[in-house]
Structures are given as C-alpha cells and as structure tokens.
Amino acid sequence: MSPKSAKAKKIVATTSLAGCFGCHMSLLDIDERLFDLIELVEFHKSPIDDIKTFTKECDIGLVEGGCCNDENVHVLTEFRKHCRVLVAVGECAIMGGLPAMRNTIPLKECLDEAYLGGATVADCNPGRVIPCDPDIPKILNRVYPCHEVVKMDYFLPGCPPSADLIWDALVALVSGKELALEYRTFKFD
Amino acid sequence: MASFVRFTLDGRECLAEEGAQLVAAAKECGVFIPTLCNCPGIPPKGACRICTVLVNGMPHTACTTRVVEDMAVVTRTPELEAFRKSVVEILFAEGNHLCPSCERSGNCELQALAYRYRVTVPHFPYLFPKRDVEAWHPKLVKDHNRCIQCKRCIRGIRNDKGQAIFAFGKRGDKVVINIDPETSKDISDELAQQAMDICPVGAILRKGKGFDTPIGRRTYDRAPIGSEAAP
C-alpha cells in the first residue's frame, strides 16, 4: 500500500465502557463487509487490535456503554480529546442501558446487596468486605449516559444497533455523506 | 342519516360526518395523526398532546376536536413534527424506558413513535425516577417505570359490574395509576388481556405472558406506526 492511500484512510478508535461488548459483536456482524471496512479505515485504540493508549489523533471514535466508574469517565474523556467525531453506539452509551437499572437504587444498597446481604453471597465473603482496592476503578453514584459526561456527536440506537446500521453509519462518516436512518435498521432492542 | 361536512386537511378538501373526531376523520381520509392517549372506542382525553394539529391556524389536540364545516386543518409542518418528537423525547426522559428488557418492545406505541420520528437520544436529561413494579395481582403486573399516565386503562377497562379496575393515586409528577384490589379481584383472562392491550406501552402486563412474538414479526418491526393510514 502506498503511503498516500494509507494517509487517506480514516482512523477509527473503539471502546466498551459499561457495556457487554454486544455492540462490538454487532460491528463484527457486518460479515464480509469487514474486508471493505479495512480498506476504508485503520483501527487505532480498540479492543479489536488491542491498542491500549492513543498515540495519534483519530477521525471517528465509537463508544459502547455508559459510564459506571471513574475509569469509564477517564477513557471517555480521552476519546473526546483524541477523536474528531464521537459516536454513542447502543442503548447503554445513549441512556445507560441495563446497568442504569441501578440508578434508582442508592449505591450503598447496591453494594450491600452484591457483597453482603444478597441471596447469592451466602458465605462467599466471610470477611464481609466491599472491594475498595485503589487498583479497582471507583464506582460512580449512578450510571451516566455518555452525553452527560462529554459532548457526543452522533447516536446509534439499538441493543445492539444492527450491523447494517453500524455499517451505514461508518460509510456515511467516512464518505462524508448524510446517513439515511433506514426504518429497518432503526430499533431500540 | 348523518350529515356530511366539508373541511380541508393539509390543503386537500375532505368529507367527514359532522361532529366526527378529527383523528378518526383524518384516518378515513388517509392522513395519519399520531396519538398516544387516544384509543378508539373510549372517550378522548387530550392528555399527551402528541396529536396537536393546527385548526384554522390555532394548535388543537385532534383527539378532542370535532369536525365542523369549513374547518381548515394542517397536520404536518416542521414545527408540529418537531413538537411531536419533543413529546416522545420528554416521555422517554421522564420514565425508565429500557426497551431491550421490555415485554412490549416491538409492539409499543411510544417506541413506534420514537422510530417514526427517529429519536436517537432525548434532548432532555434523563430523570431516572424511583418507581415500583407491582406484582401482587394474580393476573397483572403494573410496571410504574414504563407508565406514561395516558389514562387509557382508567377510561377503557371495566369489570363485569361496570366498575373501573384502574385508578389514580397521588398527584402532579407523583401521580401513579393503581390496580384496584377490590374491583380487579376476579377479572377474567380476557379482561386482563384487554388491559394489557389497551396500554400503549409495557406498563400493564399479563402475568406469564410476553416475548411470544419473534423479533421481526412484531407490530412495528417492519413498517412505521401510521403507515396503514398514510403509506
């Protein structure tokens, strides 16, 4: 490949915050279009190539999941700094999704249920410890949708968004054409 | 014999029975006016405002407006469509609407309207209100997280003695719609199903029912809400 065509490729970063990686699986579900995709874009920081830190500026950042801990906030802030266009991919990035079901319950009650009093805890936690090691990300008081933490440019709904919607969105972003949000691909589940 | 009146609908001359409900008359003429709290067969309430149209230039809720001679109705302007989208967004931000885990997903009128208006994210902050799920009733589940307080169940569902089985509790932004333990005690499975069907969202569910239609074959999977009136 000539350096010129390499330069013309848009650079894409992806991450999964408080998500289940389902949106990344949906991205892989574009199937044979993956070959077209790698002609169109170069992946940078992403679980797909396991690049962990930003070493260059990216054109497109795809963010799956909302923010449930301080590490999510850090990663999302880094994405905002290094990506020209940031896309919230999926229900969790858009509104917190299933992790946000805890948003109506005080954090202490959640932790007590998970580590002390819950039916499945039994005697698994004899020291009655709620993990608080400094190496573990600190959990936030509630789960925040991405756009409540940084400015997000676009939103792709779905749980997960269909592979066709992700593909259409990537093609639109790379080609600079307007995205036709087809009814068939526009779903919340 | 009913007398017919002439009126205009988006500039087109139409006929309707005098006094007909504007939403129904428009549907007859092939024009879809979106509704949420309106339900054919029960008295209109004008609660959700999503059916707002311009009647002789003034905003009116089409569900509570009756057709009269020479009325000029405009159902679609960029402003009206933006207003309707906002109503859907407010409802999504106001409750806890988790479509992926909802039994009504794919058959939900609120979700279908969000699809129609391509609501990707509400332009209002999510409130994440603390609301309960009531499962004490032998045949029904009432999920207050999803309730949009449209009152369709209160207006439309009666037991065999003609008594309402749903009723208001509290007021203002704390309003809840409760199941009356007395009048709902011996309801039939058919009435429980009617209660579930009259709810535009997934706030009233029959116990042991749900997820029985595969994704792809649900009401709004393929065609937007309103496509039967105006393709």
Side-chain angles (χ1 to χ4, degrees), chain A residues 95 104 181 183 187-189, chain B residues 105 115 118 126 129 218 220:
Chain A
M95 65 80 67
T104 60
L181 282 171
Y183 187 84
K187 297 286 176 288
F188 292 169
D189 57 5
Chain B
S105 188
Y115 291 169
R118 301 293 195 272
Y126 291 104
R218 300 167 306 180
Y220 304 115

Side-chain angles (χ1 to χ4, degrees), chain B residues 102-119:
Chain B
C102 181
E103 292 84 343
R104 197 62 190 260
S105 188
N107 299 314
C108 168
E109 292 176 34
L110 178 65
Q111 186 193 56
L113 286 166
Y115 291 169
R116 186 179 170 98
Y117 295 114
R118 301 293 195 272
V119 174

Side-chain angles (χ1 to χ4, degrees), chain A residues 11 16 29 41-42 50 52 58 61 70 73 78 109 128 138 147 157-158 161 165-167 173 185:
Chain A
I11 305 171
S16 179
D29 274 344
V41 305
E42 171 196 332
D50 211 22
K52 306 247 191 263
C58 298
D70 62 350
V73 174
E78 284 295 295
E109 271 178 49
R128 298 184 61 74
K138 245 195 205 90
H147 67 273
L165 180 62
I166 298 176
W167 170 250
L173 283 169
T185 62

Side-chain angles (χ1 to χ4, degrees), chain B residues 171-213:
Chain B
R171 278 173 188 273
D173 64 344
K174 305 213 168 33
V175 76
V176 284
I177 282 141
N178 294 315
I179 307 175
D180 187 322
E182 278 306 308
T183 58
S184 71
K185 206 161 46 186
D186 306 312
I187 59 165
S188 62
D189 286 341
E190 290 72 39
L191 192 62
Q193 184 64 44
Q194 279 175 32
M196 180 172 167
D197 293 341
I198 208 166
C199 181
V201 291
I204 301 171
L205 301 168
R206 265 183 79 189
K207 275 198 178 160
K209 289 286 284 180
F211 304 113
D212 43 4
T213 313

Side-chain angles (χ1 to χ4, degrees), chain A residues 51-130:
Chain A
I51 296 175
K52 306 247 191 263
T53 46
F54 282 105
T55 52
K56 56 182 158 188
E57 299 309 293
C58 298
D59 296 294
I60 300 161
L62 302 179
V63 180
E64 166 189 342
C67 291
C68 78
N69 62 37
D70 62 350
E71 199 248 352
N72 295 153
V73 174
H74 169 75
V75 172
L76 183 57
T77 314
E78 284 295 295
F79 263 71
R80 184 67 276 181
K81 267 187 215 154
H82 295 283
C83 300
R84 203 167 49 80
V85 169
L86 215 47
V87 187
V89 182
E91 181 87 356
C92 301
I94 291 173
M95 65 80 67
L98 296 203
M101 286 178 99
R102 79 166 165 92
N103 283 9
T104 60
I105 304 164
L107 181 59
K108 187 174 182 309
E109 271 178 49
C110 290
L111 292 171
D112 283 354
E113 177 75 12
Y115 293 104
L116 306 177
T120 54
V121 177
D123 42 9
C124 300
N125 188 5
R128 298 184 61 74
V129 177
I130 293 177

